[in-house]
């Protein structure tokens, strides 16, 4: 078992609340240098405490409908199940896909702009599952929720920090160009991707990328 010191726990707490905080921002709150924070986050990832950094996006306010689909399979083993999930994850309209416990074997979320488009996507999913599909059920979610587990809150109950996460409830529709979409795509892969890496991948200056990122945050396209 790996023991975490107080700085480790404070960093985990902050990243749990808002993983898009920069190393400098985290350092100012917990009392470490930027390099010190970078070292600790790298170590936490190597030790398996952090699996990745995920971006919360306001999909429904951007005009998408979030469909939740539960799937039950038959004649399936772990190897076949893993292969099916890998195939489903290649679909760009599926934003979440994972195994379940209980009645259902797979839970996934599909984004679409209309019921007809969702039906098309669902039929593609059914084709992937083939004869192993036993049953499925669909629901529509009208809001995005960020849920904090009671277990996680209990784990961090002794962490005392002067940090209040900001949860944006408003959305202002703006016209997204290719650069905005590229930034959102890159951050969806790694919510903590540094500005200089985004600038390099988009062939833009850091100042331009920083401004666009702030505008996306300000208008509710991504949130804590």
């Amino acid at each position: 078992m790996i023991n975490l010191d107080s700085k480790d726990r404070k960093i985990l707490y902050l990243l749990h609340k808002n993983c898009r905080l920069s190393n400098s921002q985290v350092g100012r709150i917990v009392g470490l240098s930027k390099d010190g924070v970078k070292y600790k986050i790298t170590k936490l990832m190597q030790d398996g405490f952090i699996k990745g950094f995920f971006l919360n996006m306001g999909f429904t306010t951007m005009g998408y409908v979030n469909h939740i689909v539960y799937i039950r399979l038959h004649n399936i083993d772990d190897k076949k199940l893993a292969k099916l999930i890998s195939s489903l994850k290649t679909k760009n309209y599926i934003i979440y896909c994972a195994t379940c416990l209980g009645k259902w074997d797979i839970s996934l979320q599909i984004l679409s702009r209309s019921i007809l488009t969702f039906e098309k996507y669902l039929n593609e999913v059914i084709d992937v599952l083939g004869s192993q599909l036993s049953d499925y059920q669909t629901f529509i979610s009208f809001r995005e929720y960020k849920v904090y587990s009671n277990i996680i809150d209990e784990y961090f109950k002794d962490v005392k920090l002067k940090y209040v996460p900001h949860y944006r409830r408003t959305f202002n529709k703006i016209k997204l160009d290719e650069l905005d979409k590229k930034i959102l795509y890159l951050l969806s892969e790694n919510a903590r991707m540094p500005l200089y890496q985004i600038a390099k991948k988009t062939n833009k200056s850091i100042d331009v990328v920083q401004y666009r990122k702030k505008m996306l945050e300000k208008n509710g396209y991504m949130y804590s």
Side-chain angles (χ1 to χ4, degrees):
M1 181 176 177
I2 301 172
N3 292 321
L4 301 179
D5 62 27
S6 63
K7 300 291 187 184
D8 293 322
R9 289 171 59 78
K10 288 178 179 180
I11 290 171
L12 282 174
Y13 172 82
L14 286 171
L15 296 181
H16 163 60
K17 293 297 184 181
N18 181 3
C19 71
R20 288 186 293 107
L21 291 171
S22 69
N23 291 342
S24 297
Q25 290 173 312
V26 173
R28 284 194 294 270
I29 297 171
V30 305
L32 281 174
S33 67
K34 179 176 68 175
D35 290 338
V37 172
K38 181 180 179 180
Y39 170 80
K40 281 191 168 291
I41 291 176
T42 300
K43 188 71 167 57
L44 289 167
M45 295 181 71
Q46 291 173 346
D47 292 337
F49 287 96
I50 298 174
K51 298 296 185 181
F53 303 104
F54 304 98
L55 181 68
N56 290 304
M57 296 176 62
F59 290 116
T60 56
T61 50
M62 291 161 62
Y64 289 95
V65 178
N66 185 17
H67 301 267
I68 301 171
V69 184
Y70 292 108
I71 297 166
R72 183 163 66 232
L73 305 168
H74 59 76
N75 299 326
I76 193 79
D77 56 30
D78 290 343
K79 187 175 180 180
K80 290 180 180 178
L81 181 59
K83 186 176 180 181
L84 283 177
I85 289 179
S86 294
S87 297
L88 292 172
K89 285 182 176 180
T90 64
K91 307 294 184 182
N92 58 12
Y93 48 79
I94 296 178
I95 61 170
Y96 174 84
C97 182
T99 56
C100 295
L101 296 175
K103 177 181 178 180
W104 306 103
D105 297 298
I106 296 176
S107 170
L108 56 85
Q109 294 182 41
I110 294 176
L111 289 181
S112 73
R113 289 189 179 274
S114 71
I115 192 65
L116 292 177
T117 304
F118 168 67
E119 184 177 16
K120 173 179 176 291
Y121 293 158
L122 182 60
N123 286 334
E124 289 181 10
V125 170
I126 291 172
D127 287 341
V128 170
L129 300 174
S131 61
Q132 291 170 314
L133 175 63
S134 173
D135 191 16
Y136 68 88
Q137 196 165 4
T138 66
F139 303 89
I140 293 178
S141 176
F142 292 99
R143 292 184 180 180
E144 298 92 2
Y145 296 94
K146 186 168 184 178
V147 179
Y148 292 115
S149 164
N150 289 333
I151 295 175
I152 295 177
D153 285 340
E154 176 69 17
Y155 179 77
F156 287 119
K157 67 180 181 180
D158 62 325
V159 175
K160 306 298 181 184
L161 286 174
K162 293 182 179 179
Y163 173 73
V164 179
H166 173 66
Y167 304 113
R168 176 168 291 281
R169 298 299 182 189
T170 59
F171 174 81
N172 301 312
K173 187 174 182 179
I174 59 175
K175 186 175 181 180
L176 302 181
D177 61 17
E178 290 305 312
L179 177 57
D180 294 319
K181 294 176 183 178
K182 182 66 173 179
I183 291 172
L184 286 171
Y185 173 77
L186 291 171
L187 290 175
S188 70
E189 291 189 319
N190 177 9
R192 285 183 60 77
M193 183 176 288
L195 289 175
Y196 76 88
Q197 287 187 12
I198 299 176
K200 184 177 180 180
K201 290 178 181 293
T202 58
N203 198 28
K204 300 293 182 182
S205 70
I206 291 179
D207 288 341
V208 168
V209 170
Q210 185 176 38
Y211 173 77
R212 293 298 188 94
K213 182 171 173 284
K214 284 183 177 180
M215 290 302 294
L216 290 169
E217 292 172 339
K218 179 181 177 181
N219 289 286
Y221 283 82
M222 50 187 176
Y223 54 93
S224 301

